[in-house]
Amino acid sequence: MDSLPAHMRPDRSFQGLILALQRYWADYGCVILQPYDMEVGAGTFHPATTLRALGPKPWSAAYVQPSRRPKDGRYGENPNRLQHYYQFQVILKPSPPDLQELYLKSLAAIGIDSAVHDIRFVEDDWESPTLGAWGLGWECWCDGMEVSQFTYFQQVAGVECAPVAGELTYGLERLACYLQGVDRIMDLNFNGREGADKVTYREVFFQAEQEYSRHNFEHADTAMLFEQFRMAEDACRKYLAAGWREEGNRKQHLMALPAYDQCIKASHVFNLLDARGVISVTERQSYIFRVRELAKACGEAWVHTEAGGAA
Amino acid sequence: MPDLLLELFSEEIPARMQAKAADDLRRMVTDKLVAEGLVYEGAKAFATPRRLALTVHGIPVRQPDLKEERRGPRVGGPDAAIQGFLKATGLASIGEAKIQSDKKGDFYIALLEKPGRAAIDVVAEILPVIVRTFPWPKSMRWGARSAKPGALNWVRPLHAITATFGLETEAPDVVKFSVDGLEAGQTTYGHRFLAPGAINVRRFEDYEAKLLDGKVVLDAERRKDAILTDAKQLAFAQGFELIEDQTLLDEVAGLVEWPVVLMGSFDAEYLSIPGEVIRATIRNNQKCFVVRDPKTGKLANKFILVANIEATDGGRAIVAGNERVIRARLSDAKFFYETDLKTKLEDRLPKFEQIVFHEKIGTQAERIQRIEHLVAEIAPLTGADAEKAKRAAKLAKADLLTEVVGEFPEVQGLMGRYYALAQGEDASVAAACEEHYKPQGPSDRVPTDPVSVAVALADKLDTLVGFWAIDEKPTGSKDPFALRRAALGVIRLIIENRLRFPLYERAMLHALLFAERALSEFEGKVAKSARSLDFIEPGLAKSLQHRAHQLAWSDAMLERASERFDALTKDLLAFFADRLKVQLREQGARHDLVDAVFALAGQDDLLMIVRRVEALGKFLDTDDGRNLLAGTKRASNILAIEEKKDKRTFDGAPTPALYSLNEEKALAKAIDEVKAEAGAAVAKEDFAAAMRAMAKLRPPVDAFFESVRVNDEDAKVRENRLKLLNEIRVATRAVADFSKIQD
């Protein structure tokens, strides 16, 4: 890290932090992907995690995923909460025996020295009811702050993971706040420059937070969204049905990915409806159930594709 | 004798599971050893975040030899039988068998000797099975092997197994076994950051010592002691006092192998937040302790954290980091609190119309309305001002909609009190906002302020009657709505405040309020035709009619539903009776006395039931009581026999003209007197006096049995005497059903 120019240092620059993590995991041998081009609630939704976690084939990937949680919008006013933020996601299948050490080294790579900082693995069982997924692991604490999620996937999209994949999720804004020593995400130095060249997180995202908060809570067109949910659900089922091929006794699926896109769509539309407060407590469960059913059907299709291990 | 050392070294074990896991490990290994004939001297288990360890000392070197005689076929028996015997016993020829004679003839006997195996071999068989079947509350698979069927499940990935066995004086042997590719050995590892290197261990003593060198305190109790001592000292040195918290201490000790206690501070401006909220924030989210100023008893702007490392900078970065997180948390809490204060509690209420309490029972808003209604009616019973009680019932749930309670559910109620006081509510009203949830359990405090008592009772009764109305009662271990706790709460509120509370009437009337909501539930169950309300006490019947009219119900509808209301109310009372029994038994009252009182009809006044049980207990401790009980039982036994013989009962008044002996007359007279006297005393609720009256029965009962032969030859006299015996039973029922009392 000392060899880096100042503007690339993770403790000075938000993008420097992202680049340092990418470099570390690239050195380890991960495929460095770009964000998935759809709205998702978390990096886990990226098919590179959800679908690739399934099936027997080894898979190591890392990527940044912009994540949208419409309900967490605070018009840019809350120091720690945003409706749009970045996650850095690492998925390693099968989970390597030294995954904890790899993780700790990644912290060292971004300047967190375990001789000075108190790093802890605190129980946190992860479950995603919408994805039909669960795993065991921890929240990783650095000096009392949760900086990552660490999960050994046991089941995803209703399918048992065999072998198990290890998933690391770094909350980038929070980690950057810690490294840069600032209290508000908006105050982060984005590009690591100083003076006139400095670009802050506020300059990049404050207006977006305001606009999307207005949209998410006040104006998102609920009639359209209800319709979109229904359409995405229908389309997902249609593509799934159309994708099955049977040759002899071999069953194959040829359209798992496009079908899964519609599942992601439905999930995000549901999150928007939820933020708008137009879904009652009881309805909420049934929407979650409907998305989960889509996710499970996609998982089932995926394990009958080539990358899913069918070939 | 040799010792066993076992360590299972893994990734971080959840703190809440560690103590039980250590206990399970000890129990499973020692149970198996004993089952294998290896009786050990002692065992102790330990847990840290990364390891479970067990030492068992004084295990015999070998299992004892087992000798067994197996009886075979008769000498000269069929060849097939003899061949079978040889095969089963492993004898080479029948010549190796002994011959034994008994009355039935000569038989072959095989002497089988099963030599005991070396204990280390037995242990090597036991341990992998225990690892594979270990009862973790949640376990997982990991790594490449997880793709294969039969992969090991453990709480988190298991990395190393240490297992050694041997005498104290010699180098122990490794217990040879493997689980899912993991070979047992004698290598473990020290602290993750402070001493991560491999450690070669031999036996428990050097294991524990080497771990300590490797910055691992093996024993959770030692870690707790160290944390507590250091935390107290650190607080004291700065002029503060640690607020002790056992649950937090247990948890924190399960998060570190090398506890290092540090103190941090936060801006004093946050002390404007209620102390409970500060503590909840710091404790729940950050797992840190708080301290108070011993002079004022108030929270100080300090916290105590427990780190897992001795940092090279002395902990400066750790403290600074924790301070930042806590500052952010408190800043949120302060913002929530101040935002909450801007809205009056009553202005939050409309939102409850959108919040479903239970699908079949309706919204929170409806629930609050019912509670207000009920509280107004029962306020006189608790001595509360009805207006204040209604106001409290109206506001008591409003804090559920505040930001602070949304964030920290455990301060519900308490925040209601803060917000009520802040908006200038009466002190009793504010107190009831907090206390109406009480008592939460058998050890929780019972409120005494009449307003709190009234709202607490109304809240719990509404819940109970509501769930009874929709037939959602606790079954077995399932009690998702904590109805047992609610019933116990009602019981304790009534008894500890010595309230006269007619439960049947209140519950019955309240049930009507659910009828509208639960109509669909009722529909299938109500009687097809109307039934008069005759079976209900007239005063209550009138109140029911009145309420039905208020609800715009027809008389016919009420009459049709009345039986259902009666049934559910009685069922609810039976539930109360059960809970009361459990409660009295736990307090040491004899359960048979409780049964004896409950066996009387129409017992719905909990306070009176308890008083009766108390008086009965005292009475039975006296000579008179014991003897009267014996006399009553004797009468009952005789009656039981004769009733069986004659296939009839001997109810009804005896005929005085048939009395021939003085003892009969004296008993009859005493029974009449005692009945009247005890009846009057019970009416005045003076159960001690009723028992004293009962005591007067003893001499005539004793004298009767001494001199009178019940089974007289004259059938009429016999019948009359049996009727007189029955009268003894009847008389004692004024206080209790004596037949339910055990000797």
Side-chain angles (χ1 to χ4, degrees), chain A residues 56 78-81 94-101 104 113-125 134 136-138 141-146 150 152-155 160-165 174 177-183 280-282, chain B residues 11-17 50 138-147 153-157 159 192-193 251-252 255-256 285-287 305-313 315 317-318 320-322 324-325 327-329 331-332 336 356 359 407:
Chain A
N78 186 290
N80 311 306
R81 253 182 244 211
S95 66
D98 57 345
L99 185 53
Q100 281 186 310
E101 281 69 35
L104 292 170
D113 176 2
S114 62
V116 183
H117 296 285
D118 186 24
I119 299 162
R120 227 78 79 67
F121 294 91
V122 180
E123 177 191 13
D124 189 37
D125 301 342
W134 70 277
L136 298 187
W138 309 273
W141 284 23
C142 175
D143 301 334
M145 163 134 77
E146 184 195 336
F150 190 129
Y152 291 103
F153 282 156
Q154 303 294 299
Q155 196 187 67
E160 289 289 303
C161 298
V164 162
R174 203 187 284 189
C177 281
Y178 192 72
L179 291 167
Q180 294 190 21
V182 302
D183 286 336
S280 76
V281 185
T282 35
Chain B
E11 297 180 10
E12 276 76 356
I13 306 167
R16 67 188 169 92
M17 299 177 189
R50 296 173 81 202
K138 266 189 192 169
S139 58
M140 53 165 277
R141 297 166 295 122
W142 65 92
R145 297 186 79 94
S146 61
N153 273 264
W154 198 248
V155 63
R156 292 293 183 276
H159 283 287
R192 183 186 281 288
F193 302 109
E251 183 179 5
V252 167
L255 290 172
V256 294
N285 296 321
Q286 297 311 125
K287 310 202 189 302
L305 73 101
V306 183
N308 189 34
I309 58 162
E310 271 168 9
T312 49
D313 67 350
I318 297 174
N322 276 274
R324 285 196 37 207
V325 184
R327 183 164 68 234
R329 296 278 191 189
S331 150
D332 276 355
F336 292 149
V356 176
E359 224 180 319
E407 202 72 12

Side-chain angles (χ1 to χ4, degrees), chain B residues 561-576:
Chain B
S562 60
E563 260 183 287
R564 163 86 182 126
F565 285 134
D566 176 60
L568 84 84
T569 309
K570 283 196 173 131
D571 191 55
L572 179 58
L573 284 189
F575 183 70
F576 273 116

